[in-house]
Every structure is written in C-alpha cells, then in structure tokens.
Amino acid sequence: MPDTRYLLLAVAVSAAVTWALRALPFAVLASLRASRTVQYLGARMPAGVMVILFVYCLRDLPLTQSRAALAALAVTVGLHLWRRNALLSILGGTVVSVALASSLFAG
C-alpha cells in the first residue's frame, strides 16, 4: 500500500496541473483579443462552421431527404433574417426538419 504522504502529494500535483491547465486559456486570452487574426476568425468562423456542418449532414442523404433538409434550411435562414433571433430560427428549422422527416418515413 502506498504511503499516505505519497498519495497526498499525487493529489496535490494533479490538482495543481488541472488548475493550471484550466487557468492558462484565460491568461492567454487577454493578449489574443487584440490580435487581428483572432478578430478576423471570430467574425468569419461561425458562418464557415455552419456551412461545414450543413455539408457534412447532407453528404450521405438521398435526394428526397436532401430536399427536406434544404426546406428546413430555408425556414431557418428565413426566420433568422426576419426576426434576428437564433433560438427562434433554430427551433423553427428543427420543427420543419422533424415534420418533413417524419412525413417521409411515415408512408
């Protein structure tokens, strides 16, 4: 059985490493906020990520299901452009997607 001091030291070292790894991003974040590259990525990445997710979700779908996904996408984009509310547009697009998917598989 390991010595109690050894176990306490192991727990203390693990806690210190965990704390340091969690604090490091916040320490580095202040200097990154002023970076032009980070500002550019912050402005462009959300749209790029959404396009990648959309393509990834549609890549293996049959054409009939792709049309349903495109309809849900149109509803999502339309709601977002109309109301500028992310929750409403995501919820509306999800409802349309689920309704169309269940109607396609019901028959």
Side-chain angles (χ1 to χ4, degrees):
M1 181 101 162
D3 184 26
T4 304
R5 286 183 295 165
Y6 175 79
L7 292 175
L8 290 175
L9 184 62
V11 169
V13 168
S14 297
V17 168
T18 301
W19 182 85
L21 288 175
R22 291 179 184 250
L24 182 66
F26 293 103
V28 175
L29 187 63
S31 64
L32 287 178
R33 286 190 196 265
S35 168
R36 290 181 52 129
T37 303
V38 172
Q39 290 175 356
Y40 176 81
L41 290 174
R44 303 298 190 275
M45 285 295 291
V49 168
M50 290 307 213
V51 168
I52 290 169
L53 286 172
F54 178 71
V55 170
Y56 177 77
C57 289
L58 286 184
R59 67 186 172 112
D60 292 330
L61 284 178
L63 187 58
T64 56
Q65 292 174 0
S66 296
R67 290 181 185 153
L70 289 173
L73 175 69
V75 168
T76 304
V77 170
L79 281 172
H80 189 71
L81 292 175
W82 176 48
R83 302 298 289 181
R84 298 280 184 207
N85 185 334
L87 182 61
L88 175 67
S89 58
I90 291 169
L91 184 63
T94 301
V95 167
V96 169
S97 177
V98 169
L100 290 175
S102 64
S103 68
L104 286 174
F105 293 117

Coordinates of all heavy atoms in Angstrom, one line a residue:
M1 N 0.8 -1.2 0.0 CA 0.0 0.0 0.0 C 0.9 1.2 0.0 O 1.8 1.3 0.8 CB -0.9 0.0 1.3 CG -1.8 1.1 1.4 SD -3.4 0.5 0.8 CE -4.4 1.7 1.5
P2 N 0.6 2.2 -0.9 CA 1.4 3.4 -1.0 C 1.3 4.3 0.3 O 0.3 4.2 1.0 CB 0.9 4.2 -2.1 CG 0.1 3.2 -2.9 CD -0.4 2.2 -2.0
D3 N 2.4 5.0 0.6 CA 2.5 5.9 1.7 C 1.4 7.0 1.6 O 1.1 7.5 0.5 CB 3.9 6.5 1.8 CG 4.1 7.3 3.0 OD1 3.4 7.0 4.0 OD2 5.0 8.2 3.0
T4 N 0.9 7.4 2.7 CA -0.2 8.5 2.7 C 0.4 9.8 2.2 O -0.3 10.5 1.5 CB -0.7 8.7 4.2 OG1 -1.2 7.5 4.7 CG2 -1.8 9.7 4.2
R5 N 1.6 10.1 2.6 CA 2.3 11.4 2.0 C 2.4 11.3 0.5 O 2.1 12.3 -0.2 CB 3.6 11.6 2.7 CG 3.6 12.0 4.1 CD 4.9 12.3 4.7 NE 5.7 11.0 4.7 CZ 7.0 10.9 4.8 NH1 7.7 12.0 5.0 NH2 7.5 9.8 4.9
Y6 N 2.7 10.2 0.0 CA 2.8 10.0 -1.5 C 1.5 10.2 -2.1 O 1.4 10.9 -3.2 CB 3.4 8.6 -1.8 CG 3.4 8.3 -3.3 CD1 4.4 8.8 -4.1 CD2 2.4 7.5 -3.9 CE1 4.4 8.5 -5.4 CE2 2.4 7.2 -5.2 CZ 3.5 7.7 -6.0 OH 3.5 7.5 -7.3
L7 N 0.4 9.7 -1.6 CA -0.9 9.8 -2.1 C -1.4 11.3 -2.1 O -1.9 11.8 -3.0 CB -1.9 8.9 -1.4 CG -1.8 7.4 -1.6 CD1 -2.7 6.7 -0.8 CD2 -2.0 7.1 -3.1
L8 N -1.1 12.0 -0.9 CA -1.5 13.4 -0.8 C -0.7 14.2 -1.8 O -1.2 15.2 -2.4 CB -1.3 13.9 0.6 CG -2.2 13.3 1.6 CD1 -1.8 13.8 3.0 CD2 -3.6 13.7 1.3
L9 N 0.6 13.9 -2.0 CA 1.4 14.7 -2.9 C 0.9 14.4 -4.4 O 0.8 15.4 -5.2 CB 2.9 14.2 -2.8 CG 3.8 15.0 -3.7 CD1 3.9 16.5 -3.4 CD2 5.2 14.4 -3.6
A10 N 0.5 13.2 -4.7 CA 0.0 12.9 -6.0 C -1.3 13.7 -6.3 O -1.5 14.3 -7.4 CB -0.2 11.4 -6.2
V11 N -2.2 13.7 -5.3 CA -3.4 14.5 -5.4 C -3.2 16.0 -5.6 O -3.8 16.7 -6.4 CB -4.4 14.2 -4.2 CG1 -5.5 15.2 -4.2 CG2 -4.9 12.8 -4.3
A12 N -2.2 16.5 -4.8 CA -1.9 17.9 -4.8 C -1.3 18.3 -6.2 O -1.6 19.3 -6.8 CB -0.9 18.3 -3.7
V13 N -0.4 17.5 -6.7 CA 0.2 17.7 -8.0 C -0.9 17.7 -9.1 O -0.9 18.5 -10.0 CB 1.4 16.7 -8.3 CG1 1.8 16.8 -9.8 CG2 2.5 17.0 -7.4
S14 N -1.8 16.7 -9.0 CA -2.8 16.6 -10.0 C -3.8 17.8 -10.0 O -4.2 18.3 -11.0 CB -3.7 15.3 -9.8 OG -2.9 14.1 -9.9
A15 N -4.1 18.2 -8.8 CA -4.9 19.4 -8.6 C -4.2 20.7 -9.2 O -4.9 21.5 -9.9 CB -5.3 19.6 -7.2
A16 N -2.9 20.8 -8.9 CA -2.2 22.0 -9.4 C -2.1 22.0 -11.0 O -2.3 23.0 -11.6 CB -0.8 22.0 -8.8
V17 N -1.9 20.8 -11.5 CA -1.8 20.7 -13.0 C -3.2 21.0 -13.6 O -3.3 21.7 -14.6 CB -1.3 19.3 -13.4 CG1 -1.5 19.1 -14.9 CG2 0.2 19.2 -13.0
T18 N -4.2 20.4 -13.0 CA -5.6 20.7 -13.5 C -5.9 22.2 -13.4 O -6.5 22.8 -14.4 CB -6.6 19.9 -12.7 OG1 -6.3 18.5 -12.9 CG2 -8.0 20.1 -13.2
W19 N -5.6 22.8 -12.3 CA -5.9 24.2 -12.2 C -5.2 25.0 -13.2 O -5.7 26.0 -13.8 CB -5.6 24.7 -10.7 CG -5.9 26.1 -10.5 CD1 -7.1 26.6 -10.1 CD2 -5.0 27.2 -10.7 NE1 -7.1 28.0 -10.1 CE2 -5.8 28.4 -10.4 CE3 -3.7 27.3 -11.0 CZ2 -5.2 29.6 -10.4 CZ3 -3.1 28.6 -11.1 CH2 -3.9 29.7 -10.8
A20 N -3.9 24.7 -13.4 CA -3.0 25.5 -14.3 C -3.6 25.3 -15.7 O -3.6 26.3 -16.5 CB -1.6 25.0 -14.2
L21 N -4.0 24.1 -16.1 CA -4.5 23.9 -17.5 C -5.8 24.6 -17.7 O -6.1 25.1 -18.8 CB -4.6 22.4 -17.7 CG -3.3 21.7 -17.9 CD1 -3.5 20.2 -18.1 CD2 -2.5 22.2 -19.1
R22 N -6.6 24.8 -16.7 CA -7.9 25.5 -16.8 C -7.7 27.0 -16.8 O -8.4 27.7 -17.4 CB -8.8 25.0 -15.7 CG -9.3 23.6 -16.0 CD -10.2 23.2 -14.9 NE -10.6 21.8 -15.1 CZ -11.8 21.3 -15.5 NH1 -12.7 22.2 -15.7 NH2 -12.0 20.1 -15.6
A23 N -6.7 27.5 -16.1 CA -6.4 28.9 -16.0 C -5.6 29.5 -17.2 O -5.8 30.6 -17.5 CB -5.7 29.2 -14.7
L24 N -4.8 28.6 -17.8 CA -4.0 29.1 -18.9 C -4.8 29.8 -20.0 O -4.3 30.8 -20.5 CB -3.2 27.9 -19.4 CG -2.2 28.2 -20.6 CD1 -1.1 29.1 -20.0 CD2 -1.6 26.9 -21.1
P25 N -5.9 29.2 -20.5 CA -6.6 29.9 -21.6 C -7.0 31.3 -21.2 O -7.0 32.2 -22.1 CB -7.8 29.0 -21.9 CG -7.4 27.7 -21.4 CD -6.5 27.9 -20.3
F26 N -7.4 31.5 -20.0 CA -7.9 32.8 -19.6 C -6.7 33.8 -19.5 O -6.8 35.0 -19.8 CB -8.6 32.8 -18.2 CG -9.9 32.0 -18.3 CD1 -10.0 30.7 -17.9 CD2 -11.0 32.6 -18.9 CE1 -11.2 30.0 -18.0 CE2 -12.2 31.9 -19.0 CZ -12.3 30.6 -18.6
A27 N -5.5 33.3 -19.1 CA -4.3 34.1 -19.0 C -3.9 34.6 -20.4 O -3.4 35.7 -20.6 CB -3.2 33.4 -18.3
V28 N -4.0 33.7 -21.4 CA -3.6 33.9 -22.8 C -4.6 34.7 -23.5 O -4.3 35.5 -24.4 CB -3.3 32.6 -23.5 CG1 -2.9 32.8 -24.9 CG2 -2.1 31.9 -22.8
L29 N -5.9 34.6 -23.1 CA -7.0 35.3 -23.8 C -6.8 36.8 -23.9 O -7.1 37.4 -25.0 CB -8.3 34.9 -23.2 CG -9.6 35.3 -23.9 CD1 -9.7 34.7 -25.2 CD2 -10.8 35.0 -23.0
A30 N -6.4 37.4 -22.9 CA -6.2 38.9 -22.9 C -5.3 39.4 -24.0 O -5.6 40.3 -24.7 CB -5.7 39.3 -21.5
S31 N -4.2 38.7 -24.2 CA -3.3 39.1 -25.3 C -3.8 38.8 -26.7 O -3.5 39.4 -27.7 CB -1.9 38.5 -25.1 OG -2.0 37.1 -25.2
L32 N -4.7 37.7 -26.8 CA -5.2 37.3 -28.1 C -6.4 38.2 -28.5 O -6.6 38.4 -29.7 CB -5.7 35.9 -28.0 CG -4.6 34.8 -28.0 CD1 -5.2 33.5 -27.9 CD2 -3.7 34.9 -29.2
R33 N -7.1 38.8 -27.6 CA -8.2 39.7 -28.0 C -7.8 40.8 -29.0 O -8.6 41.2 -29.8 CB -8.9 40.2 -26.8 CG -9.7 39.2 -26.1 CD -10.6 39.9 -25.0 NE -11.1 38.9 -24.1 CZ -12.3 38.3 -24.1 NH1 -13.1 38.6 -25.1 NH2 -12.6 37.4 -23.2
A34 N -6.7 41.3 -28.8 CA -6.2 42.5 -29.6 C -5.7 42.0 -31.0 O -5.4 42.8 -31.9 CB -5.1 43.3 -28.9
S35 N -5.5 40.7 -31.2 CA -4.9 40.2 -32.4 C -5.9 40.3 -33.6 O -7.1 40.0 -33.5 CB -4.6 38.7 -32.2 OG -4.3 38.1 -33.4
R36 N -5.4 40.8 -34.7 CA -6.2 41.0 -35.9 C -6.7 39.6 -36.4 O -7.8 39.5 -36.9 CB -5.5 41.8 -36.9 CG -5.3 43.2 -36.6 CD -4.6 44.0 -37.7 NE -5.2 43.7 -38.9 CZ -5.6 44.7 -39.8 NH1 -5.3 45.9 -39.5 NH2 -6.1 44.4 -40.9
T37 N -5.8 38.6 -36.3 CA -6.1 37.3 -36.8 C -7.3 36.7 -36.0 O -8.2 36.2 -36.6 CB -4.9 36.4 -36.7 OG1 -3.8 36.9 -37.4 CG2 -5.2 35.0 -37.2
V38 N -7.3 36.9 -34.7 CA -8.3 36.3 -33.9 C -9.6 37.1 -34.1 O -10.7 36.5 -34.2 CB -8.0 36.4 -32.4 CG1 -9.1 36.0 -31.5 CG2 -6.8 35.4 -32.1
Q39 N -9.6 38.4 -34.3 CA -10.8 39.2 -34.7 C -11.3 38.7 -36.0 O -12.5 38.6 -36.2 CB -10.4 40.7 -34.7 CG -10.2 41.2 -33.3 CD -9.7 42.7 -33.3 OE1 -9.5 43.2 -34.4 NE2 -9.5 43.2 -32.2
Y40 N -10.5 38.5 -37.0 CA -10.9 38.0 -38.3 C -11.6 36.7 -38.2 O -12.7 36.4 -38.7 CB -9.7 38.0 -39.3 CG -10.1 37.4 -40.6 CD1 -10.7 38.2 -41.6 CD2 -9.8 36.1 -40.9 CE1 -11.0 37.7 -42.8 CE2 -10.2 35.5 -42.2 CZ -10.8 36.3 -43.1 OH -11.1 35.8 -44.3
L41 N -10.9 35.7 -37.5 CA -11.5 34.4 -37.3 C -12.8 34.5 -36.5 O -13.8 33.7 -36.8 CB -10.5 33.5 -36.6 CG -9.3 33.1 -37.4 CD1 -8.3 32.3 -36.6 CD2 -9.7 32.3 -38.7
G42 N -12.9 35.3 -35.5 CA -14.1 35.5 -34.8 C -15.3 36.0 -35.6 O -16.4 35.6 -35.4
A43 N -15.0 36.8 -36.6 CA -16.0 37.3 -37.5 C -16.4 36.3 -38.6 O -17.6 36.2 -39.0 CB -15.6 38.6 -38.1
R44 N -15.5 35.5 -39.0 CA -15.7 34.6 -40.2 C -16.0 33.1 -39.8 O -16.7 32.4 -40.6 CB -14.5 34.6 -41.1 CG -14.1 35.9 -41.7 CD -15.2 36.6 -42.5 NE -14.8 37.7 -43.2 CZ -14.7 39.0 -42.7 NH1 -15.1 39.2 -41.5 NH2 -14.3 40.0 -43.5
M45 N -15.6 32.7 -38.7 CA -15.7 31.3 -38.3 C -17.1 30.8 -38.1 O -17.4 29.7 -38.6 CB -14.9 30.9 -37.1 CG -13.4 30.9 -37.3 SD -12.9 29.5 -38.4 CE -13.3 28.1 -37.4
P46 N -18.0 31.5 -37.5 CA -19.4 31.0 -37.3 C -20.0 30.6 -38.6 O -20.6 29.5 -38.7 CB -20.1 32.1 -36.6 CG -19.0 32.8 -35.9 CD -17.8 32.8 -36.8
A47 N -20.0 31.4 -39.6 CA -20.6 31.1 -40.9 C -19.9 29.9 -41.5 O -20.5 29.0 -42.1 CB -20.6 32.3 -41.8
G48 N -18.6 29.8 -41.5 CA -17.8 28.7 -42.0 C -18.1 27.4 -41.4 O -18.3 26.4 -42.0
V49 N -18.3 27.4 -40.0 CA -18.6 26.2 -39.3 C -20.0 25.7 -39.7 O -20.2 24.5 -39.9 CB -18.5 26.5 -37.8 CG1 -19.1 25.3 -37.0 CG2 -17.0 26.7 -37.4
M50 N -20.9 26.7 -39.8 CA -22.3 26.3 -40.2 C -22.3 25.6 -41.6 O -23.0 24.7 -41.8 CB -23.2 27.5 -40.1 CG -23.5 27.9 -38.7 SD -24.0 26.5 -37.7 CE -25.1 27.3 -36.6
V51 N -21.6 26.2 -42.5 CA -21.5 25.6 -43.9 C -20.9 24.2 -43.8 O -21.4 23.3 -44.5 CB -20.7 26.5 -44.8 CG1 -20.4 25.8 -46.1 CG2 -21.5 27.8 -45.1
I52 N -19.8 24.0 -43.1 CA -19.2 22.7 -43.0 C -20.2 21.7 -42.3 O -20.3 20.6 -42.8 CB -17.9 22.8 -42.1 CG1 -16.9 23.5 -43.0 CG2 -17.4 21.4 -41.7 CD1 -15.6 23.9 -42.2
L53 N -20.9 22.1 -41.3 CA -21.9 21.2 -40.6 C -23.0 20.9 -41.6 O -23.5 19.7 -41.7 CB -22.4 21.8 -39.4 CG -21.5 21.9 -38.2 CD1 -22.1 22.7 -37.1 CD2 -21.2 20.5 -37.7
F54 N -23.5 21.8 -42.4 CA -24.5 21.6 -43.3 C -24.1 20.6 -44.4 O -24.8 19.6 -44.7 CB -25.0 22.9 -44.0 CG -26.0 22.8 -45.0 CD1 -27.3 22.5 -44.6 CD2 -25.7 22.9 -46.3 CE1 -28.3 22.3 -45.6 CE2 -26.7 22.8 -47.3 CZ -28.0 22.5 -46.9
V55 N -22.9 20.8 -45.0 CA -22.4 19.9 -46.0 C -22.2 18.5 -45.4 O -22.6 17.5 -46.0 CB -21.1 20.4 -46.6 CG1 -20.5 19.4 -47.5 CG2 -21.4 21.7 -47.4
Y56 N -21.7 18.4 -44.2 CA -21.5 17.1 -43.5 C -22.8 16.4 -43.3 O -22.9 15.2 -43.5 CB -20.7 17.3 -42.2 CG -20.5 16.1 -41.4 CD1 -19.5 15.2 -41.8 CD2 -21.3 15.8 -40.3 CE1 -19.3 14.0 -41.1 CE2 -21.1 14.6 -39.6 CZ -20.1 13.7 -40.0 OH -20.0 12.6 -39.3
C57 N -23.8 17.1 -42.9 CA -25.1 16.5 -42.7 C -25.8 16.0 -43.9 O -26.5 15.0 -43.9 CB -26.0 17.4 -41.9 SG -25.6 17.7 -40.2
L58 N -25.6 16.7 -45.0 CA -26.2 16.3 -46.3 C -25.5 15.4 -47.2 O -26.0 14.8 -48.1 CB -26.5 17.6 -47.1 CG -27.6 18.5 -46.6 CD1 -27.8 19.7 -47.6 CD2 -28.9 17.8 -46.4
R59 N -24.2 15.1 -46.8 CA -23.4 14.3 -47.8 C -23.9 12.9 -48.1 O -23.7 12.4 -49.2 CB -22.0 14.3 -47.3 CG -21.8 13.5 -46.0 CD -20.4 13.6 -45.5 NE -20.3 13.0 -44.2 CZ -19.7 11.8 -44.0 NH1 -19.0 11.3 -44.9 NH2 -19.7 11.3 -42.8
D60 N -24.5 12.2 -47.1 CA -25.0 10.9 -47.4 C -26.5 10.7 -47.5 O -27.0 9.6 -47.5 CB -24.5 10.0 -46.2 CG -23.0 9.8 -46.3 OD1 -22.4 9.9 -47.4 OD2 -22.4 9.6 -45.2
L61 N -27.2 11.8 -47.5 CA -28.7 11.8 -47.6 C -29.1 11.5 -49.0 O -28.6 12.1 -50.0 CB -29.3 13.1 -47.1 CG -29.3 13.3 -45.6 CD1 -29.9 14.7 -45.3 CD2 -30.1 12.2 -44.9
P62 N -30.2 10.7 -49.2 CA -30.8 10.5 -50.5 C -31.4 11.9 -50.9 O -31.7 12.7 -50.1 CB -31.9 9.5 -50.3 CG -31.6 8.8 -49.0 CD -30.7 9.8 -48.2
L63 N -31.7 12.0 -52.2 CA -32.2 13.3 -52.7 C -33.5 13.7 -52.1 O -33.7 14.9 -51.8 CB -32.4 13.1 -54.3 CG -32.7 14.4 -55.0 CD1 -31.7 15.5 -54.7 CD2 -32.9 14.2 -56.5
T64 N -34.4 12.8 -51.8 CA -35.7 13.2 -51.2 C -35.5 13.8 -49.8 O -36.1 14.8 -49.4 CB -36.7 12.0 -51.1 OG1 -36.0 10.9 -50.3 CG2 -37.1 11.5 -52.4
Q65 N -34.6 13.2 -49.0 CA -34.3 13.7 -47.7 C -33.5 15.0 -47.8 O -33.6 15.9 -46.9 CB -33.6 12.7 -46.9 CG -34.5 11.5 -46.5 CD -33.7 10.4 -45.8 OE1 -32.5 10.6 -45.5 NE2 -34.4 9.4 -45.4
S66 N -32.7 15.2 -48.8 CA -31.9 16.4 -49.0 C -32.9 17.6 -49.3 O -32.6 18.7 -48.8 CB -31.0 16.3 -50.2 OG -30.0 15.3 -49.9
R67 N -34.0 17.3 -50.0 CA -34.9 18.4 -50.2 C -35.6 18.8 -48.9 O -35.8 20.0 -48.7 CB -36.0 17.9 -51.2 CG -35.5 17.7 -52.6 CD -36.5 17.3 -53.6 NE -35.9 17.1 -54.9 CZ -36.4 16.2 -55.7 NH1 -37.5 15.5 -55.5 NH2 -35.9 16.1 -56.9
A68 N -35.9 17.9 -48.0 CA -36.4 18.2 -46.7 C -35.4 19.0 -45.9 O -35.8 20.0 -45.3 CB -36.8 16.9 -46.0
A69 N -34.2 18.7 -46.0 CA -33.1 19.4 -45.3 C -33.0 20.8 -45.8 O -32.8 21.8 -45.1 CB -31.8 18.7 -45.3
L70 N -33.1 20.9 -47.2 CA -33.0 22.3 -47.8 C -34.2 23.1 -47.4 O -34.1 24.3 -47.2 CB -32.9 22.1 -49.3 CG -31.5 21.6 -49.8 CD1 -31.5 21.3 -51.3 CD2 -30.4 22.6 -49.5
A71 N -35.4 22.5 -47.3 CA -36.6 23.2 -46.9 C -36.4 23.7 -45.4 O -36.7 24.9 -45.1 CB -37.8 22.4 -47.0
A72 N -35.9 22.9 -44.6 CA -35.6 23.3 -43.2 C -34.6 24.4 -43.1 O -34.7 25.3 -42.3 CB -35.2 22.1 -42.4
L73 N -33.6 24.3 -44.0 CA -32.6 25.3 -44.0 C -33.2 26.6 -44.5 O -32.9 27.7 -43.9 CB -31.4 24.9 -44.9 CG -30.4 26.0 -45.2 CD1 -29.6 26.2 -43.9 CD2 -29.5 25.6 -46.3
A74 N -34.0 26.6 -45.5 CA -34.7 27.8 -46.0 C -35.5 28.4 -44.9 O -35.5 29.7 -44.7 CB -35.5 27.5 -47.2
V75 N -36.2 27.6 -44.1 CA -37.0 28.1 -43.0 C -36.1 28.8 -41.9 O -36.4 29.9 -41.4 CB -37.9 27.0 -42.4 CG1 -38.5 27.5 -41.1 CG2 -39.0 26.6 -43.4
T76 N -35.0 28.1 -41.6 CA -34.1 28.6 -40.6 C -33.5 29.9 -41.0 O -33.5 30.9 -40.2 CB -33.0 27.6 -40.4 OG1 -33.5 26.3 -40.0 CG2 -32.0 28.1 -39.3
V77 N -33.1 30.0 -42.3 CA -32.5 31.3 -42.7 C -33.5 32.4 -42.8 O -33.3 33.5 -42.4 CB -31.8 31.1 -44.1 CG1 -31.4 32.4 -44.8 CG2 -30.6 30.2 -44.0
G78 N -34.7 32.0 -43.3 CA -35.8 33.0 -43.4 C -36.2 33.6 -42.1 O -36.4 34.8 -41.9
L79 N -36.4 32.7 -41.1 CA -36.7 33.1 -39.7 C -35.6 34.0 -39.1 O -35.9 35.0 -38.5 CB -37.0 31.9 -38.8 CG -38.4 31.3 -39.0 CD1 -38.4 30.0 -38.1 CD2 -39.5 32.2 -38.5
H80 N -34.4 33.6 -39.4 CA -33.3 34.4 -38.8 C -33.2 35.8 -39.5 O -33.0 36.8 -38.8 CB -32.0 33.7 -39.0 CG -30.9 34.3 -38.2 ND1 -30.8 34.3 -36.8 CD2 -29.8 35.1 -38.6 CE1 -29.8 35.0 -36.4 NE2 -29.1 35.5 -37.5
L81 N -33.4 35.8 -40.8 CA -33.3 37.1 -41.4 C -34.5 38.0 -41.0 O -34.4 39.2 -41.0 CB -33.3 37.0 -43.0 CG -32.0 36.3 -43.5 CD1 -32.1 36.1 -45.0 CD2 -30.8 37.3 -43.2
W82 N -35.6 37.4 -40.8 CA -36.9 38.1 -40.4 C -36.8 38.6 -39.0 O -37.1 39.8 -38.7 CB -38.1 37.2 -40.7 CG -39.4 37.8 -40.3 CD1 -39.8 39.1 -40.5 CD2 -40.4 37.2 -39.5 NE1 -41.1 39.3 -40.0 CE2 -41.5 38.1 -39.3 CE3 -40.5 35.9 -38.9 CZ2 -42.6 37.8 -38.7 CZ3 -41.7 35.6 -38.2 CH2 -42.7 36.6 -38.1
R83 N -36.5 37.8 -38.0 CA -36.6 38.1 -36.6 C -35.2 38.3 -35.9 O -35.2 38.8 -34.8 CB -37.3 37.0 -35.9 CG -38.7 36.8 -36.4 CD -39.6 38.0 -36.3 NE -39.9 38.2 -34.9 CZ -40.6 39.2 -34.4 NH1 -41.2 40.1 -35.2 NH2 -40.9 39.3 -33.1
R84 N -34.1 37.9 -36.6 CA -32.8 38.0 -35.9 C -32.7 37.4 -34.6 O -32.1 37.9 -33.6 CB -32.3 39.5 -35.9 CG -32.2 40.2 -37.2 CD -30.9 39.8 -37.8 NE -30.8 40.6 -39.0 CZ -30.1 40.2 -40.1 NH1 -29.4 39.1 -40.0 NH2 -30.0 40.9 -41.1
N85 N -33.4 36.2 -34.4 CA -33.4 35.5 -33.2 C -32.9 34.1 -33.4 O -33.6 33.3 -34.1 CB -34.8 35.5 -32.6 CG -34.9 34.9 -31.2 OD1 -34.1 34.1 -30.9 ND2 -36.0 35.3 -30.5
A86 N -31.7 33.8 -32.9 CA -31.1 32.5 -33.2 C -32.0 31.4 -32.6 O -32.1 30.3 -33.3 CB -29.7 32.4 -32.6
L87 N -32.5 31.5 -31.4 CA -33.3 30.5 -30.8 C -34.6 30.2 -31.7 O -34.9 29.0 -31.9 CB -33.7 30.8 -29.4 CG -34.5 29.8 -28.6 CD1 -33.7 28.5 -28.5 CD2 -34.9 30.3 -27.3
L88 N -35.2 31.2 -32.1 CA -36.4 31.1 -32.9 C -36.1 30.4 -34.3 O -36.8 29.5 -34.7 CB -37.1 32.4 -33.2 CG -38.3 32.4 -34.1 CD1 -39.4 31.6 -33.5 CD2 -38.7 33.8 -34.5
S89 N -35.0 30.8 -34.9 CA -34.7 30.2 -36.2 C -34.2 28.8 -36.1 O -34.6 27.9 -36.9 CB -33.6 31.0 -36.9 OG -32.4 31.1 -36.1
I90 N -33.5 28.4 -35.0 CA -33.1 27.0 -34.8 C -34.3 26.2 -34.5 O -34.4 25.1 -35.0 CB -32.0 26.9 -33.7 CG1 -30.7 27.6 -34.2 CG2 -31.8 25.5 -33.3 CD1 -29.7 27.7 -33.1
L91 N -35.2 26.7 -33.6 CA -36.4 25.9 -33.3 C -37.3 25.7 -34.5 O -37.8 24.6 -34.7 CB -37.1 26.6 -32.1 CG -38.3 25.9 -31.6 CD1 -37.9 24.6 -31.0 CD2 -39.0 26.8 -30.6
G92 N -37.5 26.8 -35.3 CA -38.3 26.7 -36.4 C -37.8 25.7 -37.5 O -38.5 24.9 -38.0
G93 N -36.5 25.8 -37.7 CA -35.8 24.9 -38.7 C -35.9 23.4 -38.2 O -36.1 22.5 -39.0
T94 N -35.7 23.2 -36.9 CA -35.8 21.9 -36.3 C -37.2 21.3 -36.5 O -37.4 20.1 -36.8 CB -35.4 21.9 -34.9 OG1 -34.0 22.4 -34.8 CG2 -35.4 20.5 -34.3
V95 N -38.2 22.1 -36.2 CA -39.6 21.7 -36.3 C -39.9 21.3 -37.7 O -40.5 20.2 -38.0 CB -40.6 22.7 -35.8 CG1 -42.0 22.4 -36.2 CG2 -40.5 22.9 -34.3
V96 N -39.5 22.1 -38.7 CA -39.8 21.8 -40.1 C -39.0 20.5 -40.5 O -39.5 19.6 -41.2 CB -39.4 23.0 -41.0 CG1 -39.4 22.6 -42.5 CG2 -40.3 24.1 -40.7
S97 N -37.8 20.4 -40.1 CA -37.0 19.2 -40.4 C -37.6 17.9 -39.8 O -37.7 16.9 -40.6 CB -35.5 19.4 -39.8 OG -34.8 18.3 -40.1
V98 N -38.0 18.0 -38.6 CA -38.6 16.8 -38.0 C -39.9 16.5 -38.6 O -40.2 15.3 -38.9 CB -38.7 17.0 -36.4 CG1 -39.6 15.9 -35.8 CG2 -37.4 17.0 -35.8
A99 N -40.7 17.5 -38.9 CA -42.0 17.2 -39.5 C -41.9 16.6 -40.9 O -42.6 15.7 -41.3 CB -42.8 18.6 -39.6
L100 N -40.9 17.2 -41.7 CA -40.7 16.6 -43.0 C -40.1 15.2 -43.0 O -40.5 14.3 -43.8 CB -39.8 17.6 -43.9 CG -40.5 18.9 -44.3 CD1 -39.5 19.8 -44.9 CD2 -41.7 18.6 -45.2
A101 N -39.2 15.0 -42.1 CA -38.5 13.7 -42.0 C -39.6 12.6 -41.5 O -39.6 11.5 -42.0 CB -37.4 13.7 -41.0
S102 N -40.5 13.0 -40.6 CA -41.4 12.0 -40.1 C -42.5 11.8 -41.2 O -43.0 10.6 -41.3 CB -42.1 12.5 -38.8 OG -42.8 13.7 -39.1
S103 N -42.8 12.8 -42.0 CA -43.8 12.5 -43.1 C -43.2 11.7 -44.2 O -43.8 10.9 -44.9 CB -44.3 13.8 -43.6 OG -43.3 14.5 -44.3
L104 N -41.9 11.8 -44.4 CA -41.2 11.0 -45.4 C -41.1 9.5 -45.0 O -41.2 8.6 -45.8 CB -39.8 11.5 -45.7 CG -39.6 12.8 -46.4 CD1 -38.2 13.3 -46.5 CD2 -40.1 12.7 -47.9
F105 N -40.9 9.3 -43.7 CA -40.8 7.9 -43.3 C -42.1 7.3 -42.8 O -42.2 6.1 -42.5 CB -39.8 7.8 -42.1 CG -38.4 8.1 -42.6 CD1 -37.7 9.2 -42.1 CD2 -37.8 7.4 -43.5 CE1 -36.4 9.5 -42.5 CE2 -36.5 7.6 -43.9 CZ -35.8 8.7 -43.4
A106 N -43.2 8.1 -42.7 CA -44.5 7.6 -42.3 C -45.1 6.7 -43.4 O -45.9 5.8 -43.1 CB -45.4 8.7 -41.9
G107 N -44.9 7.0 -44.6 CA -45.5 6.2 -45.7 C -44.7 5.1 -46.0 O -44.8 4.0 -46.2

